[in-house]
Amino acid sequence: MREPFTPGAARFGIALGPLLYYWPRATVMQFYADIAESAVDRVYLGETVCTRRHELRHAHWLEIAQMLREAGKEVVLSTPVLIESDTDIACMRRVCEQEDYLVEANDVGAVRCMGGRPFIGGPHLNVYHADTLAWLASLGARGCVVPVEMDGATLAALSAGRCAGVALEVLAWGRMPLAFSARCFTARHHRLRKDACEFRCLDYPDGLVAATGEGQDFFTLNGIQTQSATCLDLCGQAQAMAHMGVDMLRVSPHSAGTLEVVAALAAIRAGERAPAPSGVVPAGAQPCNGYWHGRPGIAWEDRP
């Protein structure tokens, strides 16, 4: 159980989102062993991007889930985002039909598959206003992760207008997931077919950065997923979000910096340091917070 908050502390939980990249099994196991010793309260597990990735099967995720639960973490199993094959459907059903862990539903089909049982709505359900949140709550949602492009004013309105008992979670740090496609961009970069990709995602532990014709880093390619090249950093807005009533701040796993950001948020939560940007980004990336201020997401403003 989390220690009582000190005077001046911000009341929010720290969540670790699902691993979006394709890492070797040993790397994944060590990563979550480190997370078990961290200040993270909730951990999302499972393959949400590409069901062809096979370093970890469903049984392996369940082993990690049990280890984290024994370490005192709340564990949530995440469903795939883009459902387009029988394999994707089978993966989604395996997650939704188990009853040992809460589910993050990343697709409306997963919401239906839950059959009214409690779940958390993933960020790709695109909940922008209280009516949508209330509809999801009527289907069993006990929480929702808001879209990454939501600005601070809209978030405040959503928090104020939500129905009782529905928690809000916000991505506070990490490359922003922007879109999904039936095509695998990593395979295409290597002139390979999607179904013969040679699992090239393993070569890019934080995705493959793509630049504009002028040489500016603009997107990150992660298999069928497109992410921002910049790294969202809302650690400086952590207290503001807590005062709005946001319940959880999410950190997205990266090959470096994840534990440092978790520690920074824990210090802000405990009142040990003034809220400020974490100062941590993936190798070669720049920070961004434009969406929060109602500007293009790639922008950075050094203000709350």
Side-chain angles (χ1 to χ4, degrees), residues 76-79 95-96 98 101-105 114 118-121:
V76 181
L77 299 186
S78 299
T79 68
V95 173
C96 292
Q98 59 79 38
Y101 301 96
L102 190 62
V103 170
E104 179 188 43
M114 290 303 297
F119 66 91
I120 295 175

Side-chain angles (χ1 to χ4, degrees), residues 212-226:
T212 65
E214 291 75 26
Q216 179 187 16
D217 290 346
F218 196 61
F219 289 127
T220 299
L221 307 181
N222 178 39
I224 65 170
Q225 183 186 57
T226 302

Side-chain angles (χ1 to χ4, degrees), residues 141-157:
R142 54 181 276 189
C144 183
V145 186
V146 304
V148 295
E149 64 268 27
M150 185 172 288
D151 62 84
T154 303
L155 177 61

Side-chain angles (χ1 to χ4, degrees), residues 97-247:
E97 291 173 359
Q98 59 79 38
E99 297 183 354
D100 292 328
Y101 301 96
L102 190 62
V103 170
E104 179 188 43
N106 282 307
D107 171 85
V108 175
V111 174
R112 181 179 181 182
C113 194
M114 290 303 297
R117 290 180 289 119
F119 66 91
I120 295 175
H124 306 288
L125 293 183
N126 295 326
V127 176
Y128 292 98
H129 54 80
D131 289 345
T132 304
L133 194 58
W135 173 70
L136 285 174
S138 73
L139 299 176
R142 54 181 276 189
C144 183
V145 186
V146 304
V148 295
E149 64 268 27
M150 185 172 288
D151 62 84
T154 303
L155 177 61
L158 178 63
S159 181
R162 62 179 152 160
C163 50
V166 181
L168 288 181
E169 184 173 322
V170 176
L171 177 65
W173 186 88
R175 283 197 165 106
M176 296 180 289
L178 302 175
F180 288 80
S181 170
R183 292 183 175 181
C184 176
F185 298 111
T186 306
R188 184 165 183 172
H189 173 76
H190 289 282
R191 303 183 183 278
L192 297 169
R193 299 192 314 274
K194 179 181 178 181
D195 58 356
C197 65
E198 300 177 2
F199 304 103
R200 290 298 183 92
C201 284
L202 277 170
D203 298 333
Y204 306 101
D206 289 312
L208 172 62
V209 176
T212 65
E214 291 75 26
Q216 179 187 16
D217 290 346
F218 196 61
F219 289 127
T220 299
L221 307 181
N222 178 39
I224 65 170
Q225 183 186 57
T226 302
Q227 303 175 328
S228 63
T230 52
C231 178
L232 178 67
D233 190 344
L234 294 182
C235 292
Q237 287 74 36
Q239 286 190 347
M241 287 189 280
H243 293 153
M244 291 177 188
V246 171
D247 302 274

Side-chain angles (χ1 to χ4, degrees), residues 27-45:
T27 302
V28 175
M29 299 302 242
Q30 183 58 56
F31 176 77
Y32 285 109
D34 294 337
I35 290 299
E37 302 297 323
S38 75
V40 167
D41 302 291
R42 173 186 289 170
V43 183
Y44 292 80
L45 297 175

